[in-house]
Amino acid sequence: MQLYDVAWEFMKSTGNVGLEVFVINPHFRDGRSILQEQENEAIFLDRQVRDDSIDPSKVFVIQPTITSHSTPAEIAPELPLCNRVALAGTFDHLHGGHKELLSLACMVAQEKVLIGLLTSLGNKEFANFIQPIEVRKRQLETFVVMFRPALQYELEIIRRCSSPKNCSLVRRDVDAIVTADEQENLDGTQRINCLRIQEMKTALPIILKPFHRTVSSTDIRCWKSKEENNFDKQELV
């Protein structure tokens, strides 16, 4: 089980699915100051930490399959290290699956990561709980800076990837694209590569994040919908 999965179960058990969750990799930054922040409601670690400034009642020691301090080579020795990598998505209610994907991109990139933020979510369930584009943009920026402060990043809002004119990933000079090993994501990545070939650009190597079932944006919107309905019922009593 991944750290983000454990955190999601904790969030559900406390009835607060809106908690901000970060898995810090000490390979890129010192997480000590973050652990000591008073507003932390829970801290999940893969080892016991002795620090009088950390409230022990908030600490949960677990054994994840990928530790929070793993380097790219330890996670997957075959992963390439690229100067510039790209990824794209809607990133609604930034959750563990999103953060695992972003973490992979930030570990692979040696120089810069380019994030394409799609405005269109199509015909999604619980659409009235979809976050505004500016909120999603701010959450992405916060995560990248938190995870790897020294890494350059660029975030570009994309309406759709149907032609080279409206999809910057088709035209940009990047070395690889990071995506999740799910059919919808793979289809989008292949579409970008087809458009790049039309523009006489080289097709991008694809770096896959292995699939495992985790919380989705739809799960979170559903949870928030139920919370609102329960609140409305209590108001009527």
Side-chain angles (χ1 to χ4, degrees):
M1 183 177 282
Q2 304 294 317
L3 282 167
Y4 283 117
D5 296 331
V6 175
W8 171 247
E9 293 302 320
F10 173 84
M11 290 156 67
K12 287 195 297 183
S13 69
T14 59
N16 188 353
V17 298
L19 285 177
E20 287 288 346
V21 178
F22 299 98
V23 174
I24 304 303
N25 189 321
H27 182 69
F28 298 123
R29 66 167 300 163
D30 179 14
R32 179 68 58 178
S33 61
I34 297 172
L35 294 178
Q36 294 171 345
E37 291 179 0
Q38 296 301 311
E39 59 266 29
N40 287 329
E41 296 191 39
I43 302 170
F44 299 93
L45 301 171
D46 58 0
R47 62 185 64 186
Q48 195 64 254
V49 173
R50 294 184 179 180
D51 191 323
D52 294 337
S53 64
I54 300 175
D55 183 351
S57 67
K58 296 181 179 180
V59 176
F60 299 82
V61 179
I62 61 173
Q63 295 296 325
T65 56
I66 297 178
T67 66
S68 60
H69 60 281
S70 297
T71 65
E74 290 169 334
I75 294 173
E78 71 278 8
L79 278 181
L81 297 180
C82 308
N83 287 331
R84 298 169 300 279
V85 302
L87 70 161
T90 52
F91 299 107
D92 181 43
H93 292 284
L94 196 68
H95 55 69
H98 293 144
K99 291 174 181 178
E100 289 174 4
L101 186 67
L102 288 162
S103 299
L104 177 59
C106 289
M107 288 191 289
V108 169
Q110 300 302 290
E111 189 177 295
K112 186 176 185 177
V113 60
L114 171 64
I115 304 172
L117 176 58
L118 297 169
T119 58
S120 174
L121 293 182
N123 187 23
K124 296 289 187 180
E125 294 183 86
F126 311 102
N128 54 318
F129 290 94
I130 292 173
Q131 293 178 310
I133 190 72
E134 286 304 318
V135 173
R136 289 185 273 146
K137 179 175 181 289
R138 184 169 63 251
Q139 290 178 339
L140 285 168
E141 293 171 334
T142 299
F143 180 83
V144 174
V145 172
M146 176 73 73
F147 186 84
R148 191 174 178 183
L151 182 67
Q152 296 181 49
Y153 74 92
E154 183 179 345
L155 199 153
E156 184 167 338
I157 295 176
I158 300 172
R159 296 193 181 279
R160 59 188 182 279
C161 282
S162 57
S163 73
K165 290 183 179 180
N166 56 34
C167 184
S168 65
L169 296 183
V170 174
R171 307 184 303 272
R172 300 299 291 270
D173 181 20
V174 294
D175 302 311
I177 188 165
V178 177
T179 191
D181 190 7
E182 300 175 69
Q183 195 57 52
E184 182 181 358
N185 301 84
L186 291 171
D187 289 345
T189 303
Q190 293 293 356
R191 185 161 58 250
I192 290 172
N193 270 339
C194 287
L195 291 171
R196 284 179 65 89
I197 292 172
Q198 291 178 22
E199 290 291 292
M200 307 301 289
K201 293 276 189 179
T202 303
L204 295 172
I206 300 172
I207 300 174
L208 293 177
K209 179 186 83 68
F211 172 78
H212 73 278
R213 180 69 176 93
T214 183
V215 61
S216 69
S217 299
T218 303
D219 292 334
I220 296 175
R221 292 196 299 270
C222 175
W223 186 276
K224 288 183 174 294
S225 175
K226 290 178 179 178
E227 279 190 326
E228 184 173 282
N229 289 336
N230 289 336
F231 178 79
D232 290 341
K233 290 177 181 177
Q234 291 173 5
E235 288 287 297
L236 293 173
V237 174

